[in-house]
Structure formats: structure tokens, C-alpha cells
């Protein structure tokens, strides 16, 4: 039990540091500390102020992007990402040119860390990650030129090769993860093809990106547009008496892997009442964060309900079962 508790604590701590809304502050604190060690607290404070200014400006501009023009929005996101990387790149540059004894070492470590994090947490593909990392590549070339001028070209080349290798490895992991996401979406598409029914739909929610794979099948089933807001935050078109229960069941609450079975009354496009049943599973990260919800939703005919002896069509039935992911056992 102590071993299990320790691992749960470590997973939650890792999730807090690397995946929470406060992750960027931990990163900024780490870089500022390294910069202060190489060049002093004054330069570190100036760097921190610059980065915070760029971060807040970037956030404000992203909120104002015109999503009606995808090409322009894409280039704007890349430009803002490159500006953010350029601001971060000033930290290893300060450490390198501080001429402190461990300055070049800290500079290479910071540059490698920044490139790896950019690749690992890229959400718009490997190409976008590579373009966003352009300032880091330019800084690596500056290090290479400075090393050659200082009479140590071999050491400078070795540093650049290490940074490039780390970035390529992280980018490979990011590409593999993106490929897995595309395969999940294709699995949902194939499952909907196999169902071949207007009264059943397979779908999957990505809580991190607030997107739904298979949304078109849900739209066909309910006769209303199935968006993330409508399904997860709005209660999946549930009747007023069942809406709170459905929203609670679909909410991205922390917890272990679990199976989910839910039946409720829904309101269709023309206001008609329909009975639906959801069956699937919730996938979580090691620290308990909910990642994905994979479901199959079926419309239940009133006649089938009468034949089954279930006359309580206005009352929802829900069952949440905790399961051990490794063993597949339902608790």
C-alpha cells in the first residue's frame, strides 16, 4: 500500500508541474534560477519581465484571432509561437555570453530543455513545432560561430549536435503521439461504419483539446449539432430532469480508469422525447487527469422499453464502475 501511495503522490506531483495551468510558472522559475546563477539576479529579473510581457501579449492576441480564415490564423499562431520561443531563447543566450565558468554548460542545458519541451508539448503537429523552434536553431548557430571564433569549434559542434539530437528525439515522440490520436479517430470512424445505423453512434471526447471525434454521427442521432459544449457541458441534450446527472457523469473529474454506463431521456431536434443509452470507458493519465471518453450511444425505442417492463422512462439510471486498468477488473 505504501508503494502504491508513493507512486500516486509522484504522479500527481508530475501532473501539477508539467500538465497543470501553473506549469509555465514552474518552467519560468527554473529558467530564471539558471539565468541568475550564470549572469546574476538583475539580468534574470529583466529576462523574466520580458518573457511575462511576451506571454501576456501572446495570450491576448490569440484570443483575438480570426478563426474564419484558417490560413491567416495558422500563420499568426506560428508567428506568436516563434516570438515566444525568441523570448525564451534569450535566457540561454545570456548564460552563454555571461562568460561565467558554468555559463556555456547552463546555456546548452537550457537550450536543450526548451527545444525538448517545445517538441513534446506541440499540439499542432511536428511541422508547427519545428517552425516554432526556429529561434532556438538560430541561437544554436550563434553558439557554433562563437565557439569557432573562440578557437573551440569541435566543442561547439558537439554542443549543437547534442541539442539537435534531443530535439529530434522529442519530436519523434510527439509525432508518434499525434499518430496515435489519428488512429483513435479512424477507429471511431470505422466503428460508426460498422454500426451502419441512424440509431447508434460511436464517439470520443478529447478533454484536453475540447474536441469530439464522431461528432457527425451524434449530430445525426440527435438531429442537433453535437459540439463539446452541447455534449459535455450541456448534458448531451438530456431532459431537464436528467441533465444534472448526465453532466456529472461526463464531467472531466479526476479518478482512475473507469467504465461508464448511462441511460437517460433526451430531447431531439423537433422537441420529441427519445431514450438513449451510453456505454463506454473513461481513459485517464497516471496522475488521475481525465484524457478521453470513448462511448457508443444507442437510441432505445419506446416499444423495446415496454417489452422490457421498464415503465420509468422519465427517470435516469446511471452506473459508474471503477476498474483496474491493468487487470480489467470491475470494482
Amino acid at each position: 500500500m505504501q508503494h502504491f501511495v508513493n507512486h500516486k503522490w509522484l504522479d500527481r506531483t508530475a501532473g501539477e508541474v508539467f500538465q497543470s495551468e501553473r506549469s509555465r510558472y514552474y518552467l519560468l522559475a527554473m529558467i530564471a534560477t539558471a539565468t541568475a546563477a550564470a549572469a546574476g539576479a538583475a539580468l534574470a529579473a529583466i529576462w523574466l519581465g520580458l518573457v511575462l510581457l511576451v506571454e501576456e501579449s501572446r495570450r491576448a492576441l490569440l484570443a483575438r484571432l480570426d478563426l474564419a480564415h484558417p490560413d491567416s490564423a495558422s500563420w499568426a499562431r506560428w508567428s506568436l509561437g516563434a516570438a515566444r520561443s525568441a523570448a525564451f531563447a534569450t535566457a540561454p543566450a545570456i548564460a552563454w555570453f555571461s562568460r561565467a565558468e558554468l555559463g556555456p554548460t547552463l546555456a546548452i542545458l537550457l537550450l536543450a530543455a526548451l527545444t525538448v519541451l517545445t517538441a513534446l508539448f506541440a499540439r499542432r503537429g511536428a511541422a508547427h513545432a519545428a517552425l516554432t523552434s526556429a529561434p532556438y536553431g538560430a541561437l544554436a548557430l550563434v553558439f557554433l560561430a562563437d565557439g569557432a571564433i573562440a578557437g573551440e569549434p569541435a566543442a561547439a559542434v558537439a554542443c549543437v549536435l547534442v541539442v539537435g539530437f534531443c530535439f529530434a528525439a522529442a519530436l519523434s515522440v510527439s509525432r508518434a503521439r499525434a499518430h496515435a490520436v489519428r488512429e483513435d479517430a479512424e477507429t471511431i470512424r470505422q466503428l460508426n461504419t460498422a454500426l451502419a445505423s441512424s440509431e447508434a453512434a460511436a464517439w470520443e471526447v478529447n478533454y484536453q483539446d475540447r474536441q469530439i471525434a464522431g461528432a457527425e454521427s451524434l449530430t445525426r442521432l440527435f438531429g442537433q449539432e453535437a459540439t463539446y459544449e452541447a455534449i459535455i457541458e450541456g448534458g448531451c441534450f438530456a431532459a431537464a430532469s436528467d441533465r444534472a446527472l448526465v453532466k456529472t457523469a461526463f464531467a472531466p473529474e479526476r479518478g482512475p480508469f473507469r467504465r461508464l454506463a448511462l441511460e437517460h431521456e433526451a430531447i431531439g431536434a423537433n422537441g420529441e422525447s427519445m431514450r438513449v443509452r451510453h456505454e463506454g470507458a473513461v481513459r485517464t493519465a497516471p496522475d488521475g487527469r481525465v484524457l478521453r471518453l470513448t462511448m457508443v450511444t444507442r437510441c432505445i425505442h419506446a416499444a423495446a422499453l415496454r417489452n422490457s417492463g421498464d415503465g420509468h422512462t422519465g427517470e435516469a439510471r446511471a452506473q459508474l464502475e471503477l476498474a483496474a486498468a491493468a487487470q480489467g477488473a470491475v470494482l
Side-chain angles (χ1 to χ4, degrees):
M1 176 59 70
Q2 187 65 36
H3 177 76
F4 174 76
V5 171
N6 288 342
H7 272 276
K8 290 297 292 182
W9 179 84
L10 289 174
D11 290 336
R12 287 188 177 275
T13 301
E16 165 67 21
V17 174
F18 300 114
Q19 299 285 347
S20 71
E21 296 178 353
R22 295 168 293 279
S23 296
R24 65 178 185 141
Y25 298 116
Y26 295 114
L27 176 62
L28 290 175
M30 182 271 292
I31 298 175
T33 301
T35 305
L43 278 177
I46 294 173
W47 173 85
L48 187 59
L50 169 67
V51 170
L52 288 176
L53 176 62
V54 172
E55 283 281 274
E56 293 306 317
S57 301
R58 175 176 172 270
R59 179 181 298 183
L61 290 172
L62 282 174
R64 300 183 62 180
L65 282 182
D66 185 3
L67 300 181
H69 300 84
D71 293 337
S72 299
S74 178
W75 277 105
R77 286 194 180 93
W78 172 80
S79 301
L80 292 174
R84 181 177 187 262
S85 298
F88 274 95
T90 56
I94 291 172
W96 180 275
F97 291 105
S98 67
R99 303 309 180 188
E101 184 176 357
L102 291 178
T105 302
L106 287 172
I108 294 302
L109 289 174
L110 285 174
L111 187 58
L114 288 171
T115 56
V116 167
L117 290 174
T118 301
L120 285 180
F121 293 100
R123 294 187 180 181
R124 302 185 182 279
H128 186 271
L131 290 173
T132 303
S133 300
Y136 301 140
L139 182 60
L141 294 178
V142 171
F143 289 172
L144 185 61
D146 186 65
I149 294 172
E152 296 183 357
V157 169
C159 291
V160 172
L161 286 178
V162 168
V163 172
F165 182 84
C166 292
F167 177 70
L171 199 61
S172 176
V173 173
S174 180
R175 282 178 56 85
R177 186 170 55 193
H179 179 72
V181 171
R182 289 194 297 270
E183 282 196 337
D184 286 344
E186 180 61 19
T187 299
I188 295 297
R189 192 187 71 81
Q190 293 292 344
L191 185 54
N192 276 312
T193 301
L195 289 173
S197 171
S198 60
E199 297 181 349
W203 51 283
E204 183 175 76
V205 175
N206 184 330
Y207 286 103
Q208 186 176 17
D209 294 337
R210 296 173 63 88
Q211 294 181 351
I212 298 182
E216 62 280 357
S217 298
L218 273 181
T219 299
R220 183 180 65 249
L221 180 66
F222 289 104
Q224 304 182 63
E225 185 179 4
T227 62
Y228 180 92
E229 290 74 16
I231 301 301
I232 303 303
E233 299 175 353
C236 196
F237 311 114
S241 58
D242 298 338
R243 190 171 299 128
L245 183 144
V246 177
K247 291 173 66 175
T248 301
F250 288 171
E253 299 293 338
R254 283 180 177 270
F257 170 89
R258 61 188 181 274
R259 293 170 57 186
L260 175 64
L262 173 67
E263 186 175 313
H264 66 89
E265 186 176 358
I267 306 301
N270 299 322
E272 74 277 10
S273 178
M274 55 191 298
R275 192 76 176 174
V276 294
R277 178 184 296 141
H278 310 284
E279 294 177 302
V282 178
R283 288 188 277 171
T284 60
D287 65 336
R289 288 178 301 106
V290 175
L291 300 177
R292 293 176 179 272
L293 171 67
T294 306
M295 303 293 291
V296 173
T297 299
R298 292 182 172 85
C299 179
I300 307 171
H301 292 290
L305 289 174
R306 289 195 295 269
N307 292 337
S308 65
D310 186 358
H312 304 287
T313 58
E315 182 179 327
R317 299 196 312 267
Q319 175 185 353
L320 289 174
E321 300 174 342
L322 296 179
Q327 301 176 358
V330 178
L331 302 180

